Amino acid sequence: MSLLSLLKKLFNQTGQVFSAWLSSSGFLKAVEARTVQHQPLLSEAEMVVLADELALITQRIVANPKLSEALRQGEQSSPFMGAGLEYEESRPYEMGDEIRRINWRLMAKTGQVYTKLFQEERQESWVILVDHRQSMRFGTRVRLKATQASRVAGYFAWLAQQANIPVVGARLAESFTLTPSFEGRGAYSHLMESFAVACPSLSAEAVKNEPHINDVLLALKQQIQPGSRLILISDFHDINQKTTEILTALQQIAMLKAIVIKDRVEFELPNVEGLQLQSITNQHIHQLTTESQRTSYQAWSKGYHQRLHRYLQQAGVDPIVIMADDPTTALKAVQGQDQSSAGGRYAN
């Protein structure tokens, strides 16, 4: 059986991608040491530095086109009629209507009293989902994918804090957990405490029992308020056609943003001797010693990433790719306004 066939078979059976190990180099030594020591992905000092860097690059928040059903007044359009800035329609006057909202012009034309109705503005809320499952606990340059995912989450947490937007953190790891809703001053630090918890390597049994992204998305669909903004930060290694259906349904009630975290070695193998692939689920090692084996892997990898892109795009979600080693300045691309400094979108 060719390596490509073996990789396809293993992927179909486990739903997992493969960790790339450079046995003849020390690229992973630093990130492995941090994982073994069960240290947080980001220290308090690193969170402060990140916040200072984010303060220099954060941008105006892209408007949410969904209609918010929140109770609090805000700046987002809602399906509710009443006091607001955008005139919607007039209806016959009812006892208790405010005199200042009488449509005097229409009254002059018809002789009947009408009340102006405006589209009310309500407060939107955000949910930031960060994937810290086993496939994210990997990196060959600078940092783990899980660490970069936390940094991207920090970008959105900082934006929400500056705009006084209520935001909930969701972490997908050995289990699925939600934080309380935070708003305003302190939201960034509270959320980052949740997003920076240690991510030690998991056993094969623990990986097997990890929550599937589809189950998590279904749970969020039942919990998020219509008009919310849902930010998904993951490598999306286990998405499938069912994910597309769930995301399509979520699109009806929430504004979705998908940030795909990848390590560069997942796109292109480094030119070193002794390169190996190790399965996340069963720890089996596959050698990549010949050119044909490397070529087969590259072809499989390209098709794999393109398939993930299609699943997301079919749901109307345009993914943005951030590499694990991208600098903080690249995070401004997650708003979708500047693609030049990030890892770029998937190839079609």
Side-chain angles (χ1 to χ4, degrees):
M1 179 182 294
S2 69
L3 176 64
L4 178 58
S5 298
L6 180 60
L7 289 173
K8 287 181 176 179
K9 180 179 179 181
L10 286 172
F11 177 80
N12 290 334
Q13 289 177 343
T14 66
Q16 303 292 334
V17 294
F18 295 89
S19 297
W21 295 86
L22 311 183
S23 59
S24 62
S25 69
F27 289 168
L28 294 179
K29 187 174 296 182
V31 294
E32 285 182 312
R34 167 169 284 185
T35 300
V36 170
Q37 296 172 21
H38 296 262
Q39 294 182 357
L41 294 175
L42 293 168
S43 66
E44 290 186 10
E46 289 172 323
M47 293 180 201
V48 172
V49 171
L50 178 61
D52 291 339
E53 294 173 338
L54 292 174
L56 299 177
I57 68 169
T58 48
Q59 307 161 317
R60 180 181 59 84
I61 297 173
V62 176
N64 187 341
K66 304 299 181 181
L67 298 179
S68 174
E69 295 187 11
L71 297 178
R72 292 178 52 184
Q73 297 295 316
E75 298 181 355
Q76 185 177 343
S77 298
S78 78
F80 306 119
M81 295 295 115
L85 298 177
E86 294 292 330
Y87 171 73
E88 187 68 21
E89 61 183 16
S90 292
R91 61 160 172 76
Y93 175 86
E94 296 178 357
M95 188 66 67
D97 287 349
E98 297 181 31
I99 297 178
R100 63 187 180 89
R101 290 167 52 191
I102 290 178
N103 191 332
W104 299 104
R105 181 175 298 179
L106 186 59
M107 178 180 174
K109 289 182 178 181
T110 64
Q112 302 295 321
V113 183
Y114 286 86
T115 297
K116 291 181 179 179
L117 294 182
F118 296 83
Q119 186 178 57
E120 293 188 355
E121 286 79 35
R122 298 295 177 92
Q123 174 71 66
E124 76 166 320
S125 59
W126 292 9
V127 176
I128 305 173
L129 173 66
V130 178
D131 189 347
H132 280 168
R133 290 175 297 172
Q134 179 66 12
S135 66
M136 295 290 289
R137 304 178 186 194
F138 164 71
T140 59
R141 306 181 187 185
V142 183
R143 64 180 68 91
L144 299 172
K145 293 195 298 181
T147 305
Q148 187 72 311
S150 296
R151 285 161 47 84
V152 173
Y155 173 89
F156 287 104
W158 182 261
L159 279 180
Q161 175 176 285
Q162 299 307 106
N164 290 311
I165 295 173
V167 57
V168 171
R171 183 172 180 265
L172 174 55
E174 296 89 334
S175 60
F176 174 57
T177 57
L178 290 168
T179 72
S181 179
F182 299 109
E183 182 178 357
R185 187 174 182 179
Y188 170 84
S189 59
H190 287 308
L191 287 169
M192 291 306 289
E193 288 177 5
S194 299
F195 293 149
V197 296
C199 288
S201 183
L202 300 175
S203 67
E205 185 64 24
V207 173
K208 183 179 179 181
N209 294 324
E210 285 181 328
H212 194 284
I213 194 170
N214 288 352
D215 296 328
V216 171
L217 292 175
L218 285 172
L220 286 174
K221 183 175 180 293
Q222 300 301 318
Q223 296 183 42
I224 62 174
Q225 194 171 51
S228 298
R229 191 180 307 231
L230 177 58
I231 300 150
L232 308 174
I233 308 170
S234 172
D235 60 6
F236 296 94
H237 72 268
D238 56 344
I239 66 171
N240 50 33
Q241 192 59 49
K242 180 63 176 179
T243 316
T244 298
E245 298 171 8
I246 299 171
L247 290 175
T248 300
L250 274 166
Q251 285 272 40
Q252 304 304 311
I253 59 174
M255 179 181 179
L256 301 188
K257 173 73 70 175
I259 313 301
V260 184
I261 308 297
K262 291 293 178 183
D263 188 274
R264 295 188 188 278
V265 79
E266 295 178 278
F267 287 93
E268 184 175 358
L269 296 174
N271 187 23
V272 297
E273 295 183 1
L275 186 63
Q276 301 173 336
L277 290 176
Q278 182 173 353
S279 171
I280 289 175
T281 53
N282 58 23
Q283 308 304 309
H284 187 76
I285 294 176
H286 308 277
Q287 302 289 338
L288 290 179
T289 56
T290 68
E291 186 62 31
S292 62
Q293 289 175 330
R294 295 172 64 92
T295 300
S296 295
Y297 171 80
Q298 296 287 179
W300 172 84
S301 177
K302 181 178 180 180
Y304 166 74
H305 292 295
Q306 288 179 338
R307 183 168 64 253
L308 297 190
H309 171 76
R310 285 195 298 270
Y311 284 139
L312 292 170
Q313 196 172 50
Q314 286 170 6
V317 180
D318 197 13
I320 294 179
V321 179
I322 294 289
M323 294 295 175
D325 62 322
D326 275 339
T328 303
T329 53
L331 301 186
K332 64 183 179 181
V334 299
Q335 279 276 53
Q337 297 174 338
D338 180 5
Q339 296 301 316
S340 60
S341 59
R345 297 180 185 274
Y346 285 124
N348 290 320

